[in-house]
Amino acid sequence: MHYLGVDVGSVSVKFALIDEKKNVVDTLYMRNHGVIPTVKKGLADFQAQLSNGAKVSGVGVTGSGAGFSKVLIGADVHKTEILAHAIGTLHFVPKVSVIFEIGGEDSKVIFLRDGIITGFEMNRICSGGAGAFLDSLAGRLDIPISEVGRLALHRENEVNIASRCTVFATTDAIHKLNTGYKLEDVLMGVCNGLVRNYLAMLYRKVSPPPYTFQGATSKNVALKHALEQQLGAEVIVPPHAPCLGAIGAAILALENPPQQTQFKGFELAKFDYHISSFVCPDCENHCEITQIMQSGEPIASNGSRCGKLNF
Amino acid sequence: MRERVFTLPLCGNAWIPFKTAAQQLGLEVVIPPPVTNETIALGARYSPEGMCLPFKINIGNYLQALEKGANCVVFYTNSRAGDKKHGGGGGGMCRFRHYGHLQQLVMKKTGADIEFFILGEGGGLIDQLREITGKGTWEVIRALRVLFKKLRVIELLEELSWRYRAVEKRSGDTTKAMNKALEYLESVQDFGTLDRLDPESFFASVETFDRQPLRIGVVGEFYLLVEPASNCHVIEMLGELGVEVHRHLSLGEAVLRYPPSFILGKLMARWLNMSIPPRSEIAEIARPYLSCSVGGHGRESVADTIRFHDAGCDGVLHLLPMGCMPEVTVRPILRKVSEDYNFPVLTLSFDELISEGAIRTRIETFVDIIRLRRERREERHALPGS
């Protein structure tokens, strides 16, 4: 009995497999290069990594691309990323009081008390406190994103980067480099600025520790350092931190087990998927209807405000 | 003189009673097409950038109605609520007080040839209507009577539909029943028929589950409460997630709280057949958190959050247009109420750039949270001796 969780985010897709005792069997983290090829490849790779005999009895999906992936993979449970992250984290840190999650394009803070979510904040109109910014800056400076944290910790000077807006922050970072600051100093300044922006936007209610920090950005040691310094407290990075959303989704599938799983199997490659879309002309809402075609047949359709074209 | 063709800003289903009354008074009317993203984008293009969302939607409505042949706008406002005697500068009102005049200016800038009638200004509603229509006092009152009665029936239908949607067996049944009911109501002309209607009978065809759904109270700025397109249809969204929704304020109630004149207020209360808690009671409930009026329905939002808690709701959803001064003031207060009462409150703020996906994520999570809370509570009660 195994349960699969898939977290389809804007920047990456995460997979996790757990057994019926909630032990994590395996996880996989992939960059999102278009949801169809990524999910297909991810599932194939995942199967290759697994020892034989893993039978999937339920699948949970979460993340911004979950609605679509649910149909693609054949998932049984679909929950929001906030709930999935909280459930995944509670499994490893049952006493957690605040979860700091910095994802690619969204970032959130989740408040808990006695293992129950009491509230959450999520960035709304600005991705200033999210990871995609570091990613694009690293790309511009031609350093691998995985190296940013390690490099930044070797800073010699404190640099203040104007970080309210990420576009201007990039400008400011380049400007600082041009005035002669070392790359390491600037990277740390950017990490500090990102965390400052994140906390200012989302963490306006102060709660006592324990704190956890997760999402793919938690692999960045400089961000963790900046977060601890600005909070003035220790921050736990739980095991499998980048994949906790997927683990949470798997746990949710385990806790709400389907009678018969919808899972289409790891070999999605045998199906041919594509998307077709059209504008419904029937009323003034002009809904854009998106249909998922599996080998030429529509298997799901959404986007219709009145609901008549959704299935 | 050209023939006047009237239109109005959309506000939920309120156009239905308006249309009936206007026809009874012999006015020609054009109803703007339903609010869509296009309407909002159109309104936002011509409105001042920092203006609240309802204003922008109104402008979008006018421009779209103009295309369909309208050349006059009737706008109902309530300057009486803003004067010294009734709460002092802004007691009960906010920027809304200036909507009529500002919209007139904005429409002028678009180059539209459009005439504005700002009803309710100065309290002379009946005189104004007599002047516009050329009809007598009695006819105007008769039309108003049908208008308010119909408005009330529609509001009751809406509230019922939120109850049914949470427990419907076949998804979509309630919406179908509701649309049918509205279609029928559009044609009803006389007060007596409206008075005898049993709103519940329209939902007889909806099969329901016998279960206790989650209940959420909705508080906040009143336009967002009554116009579904302005709030990404959150109330329907909640219903589909199996949540029964209660609102703290309907359009009828909002008008009744600050009636255009004392006598009309008395008459309206009879036509609407509803009693509203007196202002002093609202103030008393809100007092531990907010001891003065902050304009708009800010004080009501605080008091009603507490009232929803006391009535056994599972949570409160607080809706506001971005930059709405009264509700922005109330927002941190509601956070405090939420902590003190250990009662979930979710605030959602809307503007023309909001994405429905972002709202859906928050709503779904909020519903999951309160559902888990309720399950926990039931488990605890089930344990002996705890």
Side-chain angles (χ1 to χ4, degrees), chain B residues 145-157:
Chain B
R145 189 168 83 131
V146 172
L147 189 153
F148 281 105
K149 190 76 212 168
K150 205 179 247 195
L151 181 67
R152 187 61 193 149
V153 173
I154 288 174
E155 286 175 0
L156 288 172
L157 283 172

Side-chain angles (χ1 to χ4, degrees), chain B residues 276-298:
Chain B
I276 53 172
R279 249 170 281 174
S280 57
E281 193 186 315
I282 297 281
E284 206 44 55
I285 300 173
R287 197 176 308 283
Y289 294 93
L290 183 62
S291 57
C292 62
S293 163
V294 289
H297 296 102

Side-chain angles (χ1 to χ4, degrees), chain A:
Chain A
M1 297 277 270
H2 287 80
Y3 293 87
L4 178 69
V6 184
D7 179 357
V8 185
S10 48
V11 174
S12 59
V13 182
K14 283 78 73 180
F15 300 86
L17 192 73
I18 61 168
D19 64 17
E20 71 273 12
K21 293 198 181 71
K22 298 189 190 173
N23 297 316
V24 177
V25 179
D26 204 354
T27 61
L28 176 67
Y29 176 91
M30 290 185 80
R31 301 285 287 205
N32 188 348
H33 302 292
V35 62
I36 299 174
T38 311
V39 168
K40 265 187 180 177
K41 183 165 182 315
L43 285 178
D45 287 3
F46 206 48
Q47 193 191 23
Q49 281 180 28
L50 290 174
S51 53
N52 288 333
K55 192 181 163 297
V56 174
S57 329
V59 182
V61 286
T62 185
S64 52
F68 175 71
S69 319
K70 182 170 194 248
V71 184
L72 196 64
I73 303 169
D76 308 297
V77 177
H78 169 194
K79 291 287 176 186
T80 65
E81 50 269 39
I82 302 169
L83 191 75
H85 266 281
I87 299 288
T89 310
L90 281 170
H91 180 58
F92 294 103
V93 190
K95 288 199 159 60
V96 62
S97 145
V98 186
I99 297 173
F100 296 100
E101 203 264 350
I102 306 186
E105 277 173 13
D106 73 3
S107 47
K108 31 194 170 299
V109 176
I110 307 169
F111 298 95
L112 304 98
R113 196 189 302 152
D114 307 328
I116 300 184
I117 309 175
T118 56
F120 60 91
E121 292 281 347
M122 204 171 172
N123 62 340
R124 271 177 311 218
I125 45 169
C126 170
S127 64
F133 158 50
L134 269 188
D135 203 16
S136 70
L137 187 71
R140 184 157 171 181
L141 297 175
D142 216 13
I143 35 177
I145 180 74
S146 52
E147 290 295 299
V148 170
R150 199 183 51 78
L151 279 173
L153 283 187
H154 288 109
R155 80 224 180 263
E156 286 165 9
N157 301 297
E158 291 298 326
V159 183
N160 213 354
I161 305 276
S163 53
R164 174 55 77 196
C165 167
T166 57
V167 177
F168 292 140
T170 311
T171 315
D172 200 30
I174 302 289
H175 168 73
K176 287 276 166 28
L177 282 172
N178 285 346
T179 55
Y181 280 100
K182 282 178 64 186
L183 179 66
E184 288 83 352
D185 299 344
V186 171
L187 287 179
M188 191 67 212
V190 169
C191 289
N192 270 326
L194 192 153
V195 170
R196 198 162 52 229
N197 201 356
Y198 166 73
L199 290 179
M201 265 197 303
L202 302 179
Y203 187 58
R204 282 168 300 198
K205 173 170 94 175
V206 178
S207 285
Y211 302 140
T212 65
F213 173 39
Q214 58 212 55
T217 50
S218 63
K219 285 197 285 196
N220 182 326
V221 280
L223 278 181
K224 176 173 183 262
H225 178 79
L227 192 61
E228 287 185 329
Q229 211 167 36
Q230 291 182 31
L231 288 169
E234 194 210 351
V235 169
I236 306 162
V237 175
H240 310 290
C243 301
L244 280 172
I247 294 172
I251 294 177
L252 283 163
L254 181 150
E255 284 173 351
N256 307 285
Q259 290 197 328
Q260 176 67 46
T261 181
Q262 309 278 315
F263 187 44
K264 292 181 183 164
F266 287 105
E267 290 119 358
L268 280 181
K270 66 179 180 229
F271 297 114
D272 165 45
Y273 288 101
H274 70 274
I275 298 295
S276 79
S277 82
F278 62 94
V279 173
C280 170
D282 292 1
C283 80
E284 281 152 358
N285 269 321
H286 301 307
C287 300
E288 190 178 310
I289 313 294
T290 312
Q291 287 189 327
I292 306 173
M293 318 289 278
Q294 177 181 313
S295 310
E297 290 288 311
I299 52 167
S301 166
N302 61 48
S304 167
R305 161 110 31 233
C306 67
K308 68 178 172 190
L309 291 171
N310 290 348
F311 56 89

Side-chain angles (χ1 to χ4, degrees), chain A residues 121 204-205, chain B residues 330-339:
Chain A
E121 292 281 347
R204 282 168 300 198
K205 173 170 94 175
Chain B
V330 158
R331 189 180 182 154
I333 300 176
L334 289 188
R335 195 173 292 167
K336 176 88 176 110
V337 174
S338 160
E339 270 169 35

